[in-house]
Amino acid sequence: MEKKLIGVDLGGTTAKIAILSANGKIEEKWSVETDISDEGSHIVRNIGDSINQKLTDLQLDNDIFHGIGMGTPGTINYETGTVKGAYNLNWAKEQNVATDLKNITGLGVYLDNDANIAAVGERWKGAGEGSANVFFVTLGTGVGGGIFAEGKILHGAKGAAGEIGHITVDTSKDAYVCTCGKKGCLETIASATGIVRVAKDLAKSFEQDSKLKNIIQDGTEETTSKLIFELANEGDVLATKVVDHICFYLGLACSHIGNMLNPEKIIIGGGVSAAGDALLKPIQSYFEGMVFPAVKESTSISIATLGNDAGVLGAAWLALPSE
């Protein structure tokens, strides 16, 4: 029997878990609530117990698995398989994730950052399928990134490679302060929360008729990035201005990535990417005006296609044996 893979995509609300074939077909998929109580001490145990129970239910033995690949927030020590600084999991202190999960399940465990595994998932079975060099940008509550280059994930000296959210894109004196302590980071503008902040600021001095401006002023409806893109599609002038504003900075950041790494594909995922062409087309336009000609010809930008499955796919890929 061909050996299988297990992928775990650990998030602050749930851990998504899947059993996959060695060629990336998802055969079983389920989730476990992330219990962050008691400094997150139950998280790994709950994941391990759930995997063991599922394998028992399906009458699958450990010897038909290559192992478990797992994506997690936080700073990972790739030599020891430990994680720390994952504050949304209550993991302020170092956690022995790989060792603990291996002890519970009896399977080898391979860890990587959650943004990196999404990049790998899209490269393996999604928008970047078959590409040797892919940069993945995730636009959600924050802005993250992952680099897959020439057959492997790039981690950098301290695991911080791909942090596109902290590229400085706004050098003005009024630039927003980021949670990282810097000013003018892409995350302050292009994250879901950043887009709303931009909209509220631009609304203050906007004098034309605008449904978005009225919603912001009245407070009768929650202002979200999704709403802003919907109103832009309807032709709302302020919403269109907001989208153009954030896409300029996304195009600028992507141009830096393009000029530096020249990946075949820059893939944009995360919740904000649901805006589709309304997000993609203006980014492409700005990007093409800012990159070196050879990059313009060889690097394309696209929207992610795997949705929530990117994480478990990329995590499972980690457990594949090296060729």
Side-chain angles (χ1 to χ4, degrees):
M1 180 184 289
E2 184 184 40
K3 285 203 168 187
K4 300 180 186 295
L5 310 165
I6 296 174
V8 180
D9 180 13
L10 176 57
T13 306
T14 63
K16 301 175 189 69
I17 310 172
I19 296 171
L20 304 91
S21 67
N23 65 2
K25 181 182 179 184
I26 295 175
E27 298 177 349
E28 292 282 337
K29 185 169 61 170
W30 71 101
S31 63
V32 177
E33 185 178 340
T34 303
D35 179 0
I36 65 170
S37 64
D38 303 322
E39 297 184 333
S41 59
H42 306 289
I43 293 172
V44 174
R45 166 60 65 181
N46 290 347
I47 291 170
D49 287 348
S50 180
I51 290 171
N52 287 342
Q53 186 61 55
K54 180 66 72 171
L55 299 193
T56 299
D57 292 346
L58 296 173
Q59 298 182 326
L60 296 174
D61 295 329
N62 276 13
D63 59 9
I64 70 160
F65 289 94
H66 287 299
I68 300 170
M70 181 171 171
T72 172
T75 302
I76 298 168
N77 183 318
Y78 294 97
E79 292 180 3
T80 62
T82 57
V83 181
K84 67 177 180 179
Y87 300 107
N88 62 332
L89 303 177
N90 257 351
W91 283 355
K93 299 175 184 175
E94 193 167 67
Q95 309 288 318
N96 296 309
V97 176
T99 300
D100 289 350
L101 189 55
K102 181 178 181 179
N103 288 341
I104 295 165
T105 63
L107 290 165
V109 178
Y110 309 88
L111 296 184
D112 215 306
N113 176 266
D114 49 357
N116 287 343
I117 63 161
V120 172
E122 286 289 343
R123 180 264 165 190
W124 189 25
K125 293 293 172 183
E129 189 169 1
S131 300
N133 299 280
V134 169
F135 192 99
F136 183 76
V137 183
T138 177
L139 305 177
T141 308
V143 175
I147 308 170
F148 189 91
E150 296 172 9
K152 59 185 179 181
I153 301 167
L154 297 192
H155 295 121
K158 278 285 186 179
E163 286 287 1
I164 189 175
H166 300 289
I167 287 179
T168 301
V169 291
D170 183 0
T171 58
S172 71
K173 62 181 177 61
D174 299 320
Y176 300 130
V177 176
C178 184
T179 53
C180 76
K182 290 201 307 108
K183 288 181 72 176
C185 291
L186 180 66
E187 183 169 298
T188 67
I189 297 167
S191 63
T193 48
I195 293 167
V196 172
R197 178 163 46 181
V198 167
K200 289 180 176 179
D201 274 0
L202 292 181
K204 291 173 185 174
S205 59
F206 193 77
E207 296 181 351
Q208 296 171 253
D209 286 337
S210 164
K211 184 177 178 181
L212 176 58
K213 182 180 172 86
N214 294 337
I215 289 169
I216 291 170
Q217 286 182 329
D218 298 344
T220 52
E221 186 178 345
E222 185 184 3
T223 304
T224 63
S225 59
K226 181 174 182 284
L227 173 68
I228 292 164
F229 277 99
E230 286 173 353
L231 292 175
N233 281 336
E234 293 171 11
D236 184 277
V237 184
L238 175 58
T240 301
K241 185 176 181 180
V242 173
V243 169
D244 182 71
H245 183 92
I246 65 112
C247 286
F248 167 80
Y249 288 111
L250 279 165
L252 176 62
C254 286
S255 75
H256 293 328
I257 297 303
N259 286 332
M260 182 71 69
L261 297 175
N262 188 204
E264 289 155 77
K265 296 203 175 164
I266 296 174
I267 301 168
I268 300 174
V272 175
S273 72
D277 281 351
L279 176 76
L280 180 63
K281 287 185 176 179
I283 293 174
Q284 284 176 323
S285 179
Y286 282 119
F287 174 81
E288 289 174 3
M290 297 173 178
V291 289
F292 186 64
V295 174
K296 182 178 177 181
E297 294 167 7
S298 56
T299 297
S300 64
I301 304 179
S302 58
I303 297 291
T305 60
L306 294 175
N308 287 332
D309 287 342
V312 290
L313 277 157
W317 180 90
L318 297 174
L320 277 172
S322 300
E323 293 179 1

